[in-house]
Amino acid sequence: MTGTSTMTSNAAQGGVGYALELRNMSKKFGALEALGGINLAVRPGERRAVLGSNGAGKTTLFNCITGDFPPTTGTIHFFGEDVTVFPAQERIRRGLRRTYQISLLFNGLTVMDNVYLACRGVSRGRFSFIRPRRGDALIQTAEELIDTVNLTDVIQTPVSELSYGQQRQLEIAMALSGAPRFILFDEPAAGLSPTERTELINILTGLPGHVGFIIIEHDMDVALRVSDMVTMMHNGRIFKEGKPAEIEDDPEVQALYLGDGHD
């Protein structure tokens, strides 16, 4: 198993070859330290799970990576570029995407409308007022993304009529807009039925190999099945890292996260 000391030494080597690298990152809210001394390095195309109980710092970690929260100390590098002070939209333009725990869909619009707008929003013509015509490249791209998440049968259905699982699938399609290089998935399995979880696993494992991601997830079965590496967090710090099988069999992980304190 890889401990935090190994990851620290890896992260300190300069970030060559990393899609995402956090160096000694911390985040404080007044006297509360939500994150402390985070060193994390994820390679292009790598699928990483970040696990931990409520309050471990997982969502704060995502908010710092996306630019929603500025880190108190440390740096954030995205494909070798220091983006620590970049606003969220600049990180999006560089290929970073994110889903949220709470749905941010347009409920009154159709599946197609939502995905098309997501594609349009990261395109060069996003400020154009010209209506799309038949054969528009963005329409074709939206159709392909909808097919990727298995929603073609409901492509013209309003979001308000979709099941919760279908809405989560739609969020993944929108996150894939604009050829992202890296995606942050924030608890995509929350509230899903067993059948919908299986569908989610198939979608995530079927993503293009060059698209790396980090998934925050309370459902350990989902997280371990879609990831190459796992990072365990506890009280705002990295507790342990390793391959899914190593994490699942680790006695300390089982005691801390699979006992009474795990949810």
Side-chain angles (χ1 to χ4, degrees):
M1 178 168 304
T2 304
T4 55
S5 59
T6 302
M7 182 56 68
T8 301
S9 62
N10 286 344
Q13 292 177 0
V16 176
Y18 292 128
L20 180 68
E21 184 186 10
L22 313 180
R23 303 179 190 172
N24 197 32
M25 193 184 75
S26 69
K27 178 61 183 176
K28 291 184 178 180
F29 298 96
L32 173 65
E33 186 178 59
L35 296 174
I38 299 294
N39 290 288
L40 182 70
V42 184
R43 297 188 180 279
E46 180 181 330
R47 281 86 193 275
R48 175 76 63 111
V50 174
L51 306 180
S53 58
N54 288 332
K58 306 184 299 298
T59 298
T60 301
L61 178 74
F62 268 21
N63 286 334
C64 288
I65 293 172
T66 58
D68 294 323
F69 292 165
T72 303
T73 64
T75 59
I76 302 169
H77 289 76
F78 188 63
F79 286 91
E81 182 179 15
D82 188 340
V83 299
T84 309
V85 299
F86 284 16
Q89 63 268 24
E90 288 298 329
R91 304 182 198 205
I92 292 172
R93 288 172 187 157
R94 283 159 173 77
L96 181 65
R97 301 287 187 276
R98 177 187 181 175
T99 66
Y100 289 82
Q101 293 180 36
I102 300 174
S103 176
L104 299 178
L105 302 173
F106 296 104
N107 289 329
L109 301 181
T110 67
V111 169
M112 179 63 186
D113 291 338
N114 271 265
V115 180
Y116 175 79
L117 288 174
C119 293
R120 181 74 174 264
V122 292
S123 71
R124 291 185 177 180
R126 59 187 176 276
F127 298 120
S128 172
F129 292 101
I130 299 175
R131 289 180 176 272
R133 300 178 180 179
R134 182 172 298 178
D136 186 308
L138 291 181
I139 290 179
Q140 181 178 350
T141 298
E143 290 173 342
E144 292 171 353
L145 293 178
I146 291 167
D147 182 64
T148 296
V149 299
N150 304 324
L151 290 178
T152 300
D153 291 344
V154 293
I155 191 170
Q156 296 300 336
T157 301
V159 168
S160 59
E161 297 179 15
L162 299 179
S163 69
Y164 184 72
Q166 289 173 323
Q167 291 184 23
R168 303 302 281 191
Q169 290 168 233
L170 176 56
E171 289 169 347
I172 294 174
M174 295 172 68
L176 288 169
S177 63
R181 295 195 285 176
F182 204 85
I183 304 175
L184 307 176
F185 292 113
D186 196 345
E187 297 195 28
L192 300 188
S193 68
T195 299
E196 290 170 335
R197 285 192 182 104
T198 299
E199 181 81 359
L200 174 66
I201 290 170
N202 291 336
I203 291 172
L204 293 179
T205 55
L207 292 179
H210 68 278
V211 179
F213 63 73
I214 296 178
I215 179 173
I216 288 176
E217 189 52 66
H218 279 290
D219 189 320
M220 205 166 187
D221 180 59
V222 170
L224 296 180
R225 290 177 65 181
V226 303
S227 60
D228 307 314
M229 288 288 293
V230 181
T231 296
M232 303 295 302
M233 293 188 66
H234 182 59
N235 290 337
R237 296 180 180 273
I238 293 178
F239 168 61
K240 241 171 212 193
E241 292 181 316
K243 297 287 187 181
E246 296 172 330
I247 291 295
E248 189 172 26
D249 295 336
D250 185 89
E252 289 183 298
V253 171
Q254 292 176 357
L256 189 57
Y257 293 100
L258 300 183
D260 294 338
H262 179 72
D263 65 77

